[in-house]
Amino acid sequence: FASRICTSCYLHCQSSYRPTMPTSKSDYIVTASQSYISRSANILVALAPNLHSKGKSVIQKNVTIHGEFGAPIHIGRYVYIDEDVEIVPSVIPTSSDPLLTTSSSSGSGGVGSKIIPQPPTENEKALPVIIGSHTKIGNNCTIHSIAIGSCVRIGSNCRIYPRSKIHDCCIIENDSVIPPDMVISPFSRVRGNPARIVGSLPECSGGEFVEDCVQEYTRFVRELGE
């Protein structure tokens, strides 16, 4: 049974949507596009930088972004990534030949088990990762998704498995586990392990999510004394 929910009420009752506030400006690197990246974050890159941000986003401490896989990672505007989040590109074989050696990072393990990030072998390639604008990712999440849309809320302690895709204006509740290859349609509310769609969001959600992210970023900057 899919029920509709008031977006504002949901956001106010979920603690995962109250981002960590900064302690000191010296704890962050401020980019030219006015993004704030914690000095304790691990941005792993290959020979050429693979992380692309549209700006005015916040990446908190102990966030790990695996740019060393060689695939571009695109982060939209007004994105908030909370503490202890790991973003890992999905890895797929370059051939359907079963005799070719591949890594174990493609999501073949049981749903709920942790995938140990491994860069692609010579017989594999990493897929780009896209995170849309005005999206928040709660603390202690592992993200292997190929695409997370704009105006998405991901709660704390979620695992998003490889090749999955989350469309715009969705809420992924705390502790949800999205299986490999799952596609979540726009305006969905999702929970569970394995995750399933349990409700829908009103069409006004997008506007509320945009306003919420802009306000949170403004509050974050103000807390730093900017």
Side-chain angles (χ1 to χ4, degrees):
F1 177 74
S3 61
R4 298 183 73 86
I5 185 171
C6 171
T7 311
S8 297
C9 293
Y10 185 86
L11 291 177
H12 281 97
C13 72
Q14 290 291 302
S15 60
S16 60
Y17 301 124
R18 296 170 187 167
T20 304
M21 286 293 105
T23 54
S24 171
K25 183 179 178 180
S26 63
D27 293 334
Y28 296 88
I29 297 170
V30 185
T31 69
S33 58
Q34 299 180 337
S35 287
Y36 289 77
I37 302 175
S38 171
R39 295 185 183 276
S40 300
N42 301 305
I43 312 297
L44 307 176
V45 297
L47 294 178
N50 292 317
L51 179 61
H52 309 278
S53 173
K54 292 185 176 179
K56 293 195 173 182
S57 294
V58 177
I59 298 176
Q60 285 288 10
K61 66 181 181 179
N62 299 326
V63 169
T64 300
I65 299 179
H66 288 273
E68 85 277 17
F69 280 34
I73 298 174
H74 300 275
I75 296 177
R77 196 168 175 84
Y78 290 107
V79 172
Y80 187 94
I81 304 176
D82 213 338
E83 299 176 1
D84 301 304
V85 169
E86 187 171 24
I87 298 176
V88 188
S90 296
V91 174
I92 62 172
T94 55
S95 170
S96 59
D97 187 346
L99 297 179
L100 293 177
T101 302
T102 59
S103 71
S104 60
S105 60
S106 58
S108 58
V111 174
S113 61
K114 183 175 177 59
I115 299 175
I116 299 175
Q118 295 184 16
T121 67
E122 61 180 4
N123 300 318
E124 297 174 317
K125 65 178 180 180
L127 300 177
V129 178
I130 300 174
I131 300 175
S133 298
H134 307 102
T135 286
K136 292 183 183 179
I137 300 175
N139 65 289
N140 198 35
C141 290
T142 303
I143 309 294
H144 292 264
S145 178
I146 59 173
I148 297 173
S150 297
C151 301
V152 171
R153 298 294 181 269
I154 298 177
S156 300
N157 307 309
C158 292
R159 289 186 180 176
I160 317 296
Y161 273 72
R163 304 176 304 277
S164 58
K165 184 174 184 180
I166 304 172
H167 284 276
D168 296 343
C169 300
C170 291
I171 289 177
I172 313 300
E173 296 191 15
N174 295 345
D175 305 304
S176 295
V177 178
I178 296 180
D181 302 302
M182 183 176 183
V183 177
I184 298 174
S185 57
F187 299 100
S188 294
R189 180 165 60 98
V190 174
R191 79 160 71 103
N193 178 12
R196 63 187 183 90
I197 297 174
V198 296
S200 61
L201 305 179
E203 294 183 1
C204 64
S205 301
E208 294 182 14
F209 287 158
V210 168
E211 182 179 356
D212 176 61
C213 277
V214 173
Q215 289 178 351
E216 288 288 356
Y217 177 83
T218 302
R219 185 180 303 115
F220 182 93
V221 173
R222 186 170 59 244
E223 290 280 341
L224 287 177
E226 292 285 273

